Amino acid sequence: MRFVTYTENDGDSDSGDRVGVLDADDLVHALPPGIRLIDLLDDPQRLRDAADDALRDPRAVHPYASLRLRAPIPQPPTVRDFMTFESHIEGVARLGGPETAPPEQWYEAPAFYFTNPYAIQGPQDDVRIPPGCTRFDFELEVAAVIGRGGRDLSVDKAESHIAGYVLMNDWSARDLQFTEMQVRLGPAKGKDSATTLGPVFVTPDELEPHRAGNAYGLRMTAAVNGTVVGEDLWSNMAFSYAQMIAYASRGTEVRTGDILGSGTCGGGCLAELWGRRGLDAHPPLAPGDTVTLSVEHLGTQTSRVTERAERPVGDLRATSHPHAPAPHGGHR
C-alpha cells in the first residue's frame, strides 16, 4: 500500500490535510476528512481496512500529479537520524584528514542523534538556508516509520514494529555543524532547520519483492540542478532497521509515528564529494538551486533552495568565564 498526505488549502497549516491511497494508475483515493495517517499506523489491519475502503468508496479521486503534497507524517513525535552507510562515513571523514575508516565504536551499535520534529517539510516545499550558514548541503536517506510502539525491543521482533518507509532529506548547514561539534556536542543548529519527508509512505509488503542485504535493492539518486551527483543502493546499509529500532528502544520507548532515518547513503550529499575530491568539487547549495532526490518505489522530492533568513539574536558568546573572549575580539 502507498499513502500520501496532501493539502486542500494553501499548505501553510495542517487544517486542510487529507490522506489518500495511491493506486497503480497514479490516482489518489481520499480517506474521510479528519483522518491522519499517524492515527492508522499502530494496527496493520486498520491501515489495510482504511486503504480498502478508500479504494472501494473514495471520498474523492485526484490525479497524483495535481496535488500539493505534505510530509506523510507532518508532525512526528520524534526524529532519530542514524549513520548506517559505511561509504558515506569514509567519504566525509576525508574532510578531517587522511583517516578514512569509521572509528571502531561505529561498528558496535547503530549510532544516532535526535533532530527537530518541528522542522518537517513536504516533498515540494522550498527550503530556506539557515541563518549564518554559508555551506548548505542535503542528505539522501530513507526513514522507517514506527507503527506499534514498544520498549526494549529485541532485534528479532523490532522489524514487526515498522509501519512503512519514507524518503528523507536531512538538510545540513555544514559550517555550523562542524563548528559546534568541536565542543563534542551536537549536531544542533547544523541540522535542525529542515527535514524533508515524502512524497509517499510505503508499507513493507509493497517492498518485499526487492528485499536485499539489510534493506531493499532499490536505487537511490541525488541530483542538483538536474545533474546527478551521487547514487547508491538502499541495500548497502551496514545495519538493519531492526537493529536501529532495537537500539533506539533500549531503556526507553519508540512510539507510533516516530521517524528513524537511515543516515546518508553513499554519494548522498555534497560533503562526501568535498571529502573525496576537495572543496572545489561542487559549490555549496545556493538560492535558486534545485535538489532532486529519488528512491525507487518511494518517489521523488524536488526542493528549491531559497535565501537565508538572517535573524540577529545578539551576542551569544560566553561572558561569565575568565577565559571567554571579550566581545568584538577584545581582551579581558
Side-chain angles (χ1 to χ4, degrees):
M1 296 175 288
R2 299 181 297 165
F3 292 84
V4 297
T5 297
Y6 63 96
T7 184
E8 293 191 326
N9 58 21
D10 59 7
D12 290 335
S13 71
D14 61 3
S15 60
D17 282 359
R18 295 289 297 272
V19 174
V21 182
L22 181 60
D23 70 15
D25 296 319
D26 283 343
L27 295 174
V28 173
H29 300 247
L31 274 64
I35 294 179
R36 303 178 305 166
L37 185 55
I38 195 172
D39 298 328
L40 305 172
L41 299 183
D42 64 344
D43 183 346
Q45 188 60 53
R46 185 186 304 135
L47 190 63
R48 282 192 293 270
D49 289 346
D52 290 343
D53 289 346
L55 291 171
R56 181 177 59 253
D57 184 21
R59 296 303 177 95
V61 178
H62 306 282
Y64 174 72
S66 71
L67 296 177
R68 181 68 186 178
L69 298 174
R70 296 264 283 160
I73 311 292
Q75 297 178 323
T78 66
V79 183
R80 297 171 177 85
D81 202 9
F82 288 75
M83 294 192 301
T84 68
F85 287 87
E86 187 175 17
S87 61
H88 165 71
I89 297 173
E90 291 173 345
V92 173
R94 295 174 186 266
L95 283 169
E99 180 61 46
T100 61
E104 290 184 9
Q105 293 83 355
W106 181 79
Y107 297 94
E108 297 299 316
F112 72 93
Y113 69 93
F114 282 97
T115 190
N116 187 0
Y118 305 147
I120 299 301
Q121 298 193 201
Q124 301 162 329
D125 292 347
D126 293 346
V127 175
R128 182 176 288 183
I129 298 174
C133 172
T134 60
R135 194 162 282 276
F136 196 40
D137 197 2
F138 61 88
E139 292 197 350
L140 170 56
E141 312 186 19
V142 176
V145 182
I146 295 296
R148 291 182 298 113
R151 170 187 285 268
D152 291 321
L153 300 174
S154 69
V155 174
D156 290 342
K157 298 195 176 166
E159 188 170 349
S160 67
H161 290 253
I162 298 173
Y165 298 92
V166 294
L167 174 54
M168 173 172 162
N169 185 351
D170 172 38
W171 299 90
S172 302
R174 295 299 187 191
D175 45 347
L176 306 184
Q177 175 191 354
F178 295 153
T179 296
E180 65 192 358
M181 291 185 74
Q182 291 183 38
V183 300
R184 295 183 172 87
L185 192 64
K189 302 314 295 182
K191 291 281 191 174
D192 75 348
S193 64
T195 299
T196 300
L197 297 178
V200 184
F201 169 90
V202 180
T203 55
D205 58 311
E206 188 91 7
L207 301 172
E208 193 58 33
H210 308 282
R211 171 84 65 169
N214 279 319
Y216 303 93
L218 299 172
R219 179 66 57 184
M220 305 174 70
T221 305
V224 178
N225 298 328
T227 300
V228 173
V229 296
E231 291 184 301
D232 201 358
L233 284 176
W234 186 3
S235 53
N236 284 337
M237 293 169 59
F239 296 91
S240 68
Y241 286 98
Q243 291 174 304
M244 293 159 56
I245 295 167
Y247 189 54
S249 71
R250 183 185 295 179
T252 185
E253 292 181 71
V254 292
R255 294 187 176 182
T256 301
D258 281 355
I259 304 293
L260 282 73
S262 64
T264 313
C265 66
C269 68
L270 297 180
E272 194 174 326
L273 281 178
W274 300 332
R276 295 185 187 279
R277 303 180 191 173
L279 294 177
D280 294 332
H282 196 287
L285 297 175
D289 285 342
T290 298
V291 176
T292 305
L293 305 183
S294 299
V295 177
E296 290 180 288
H297 292 278
L298 296 186
T300 297
Q301 299 176 358
T302 301
S303 307
R304 186 172 64 93
V305 178
T306 63
E307 293 282 354
R308 67 179 55 82
E310 296 294 353
R311 301 186 186 277
V313 293
D315 191 347
L316 300 176
R317 291 173 293 182
T319 58
S320 60
H321 191 280
H323 296 114
H328 311 299
H331 298 281
R332 293 189 182 279

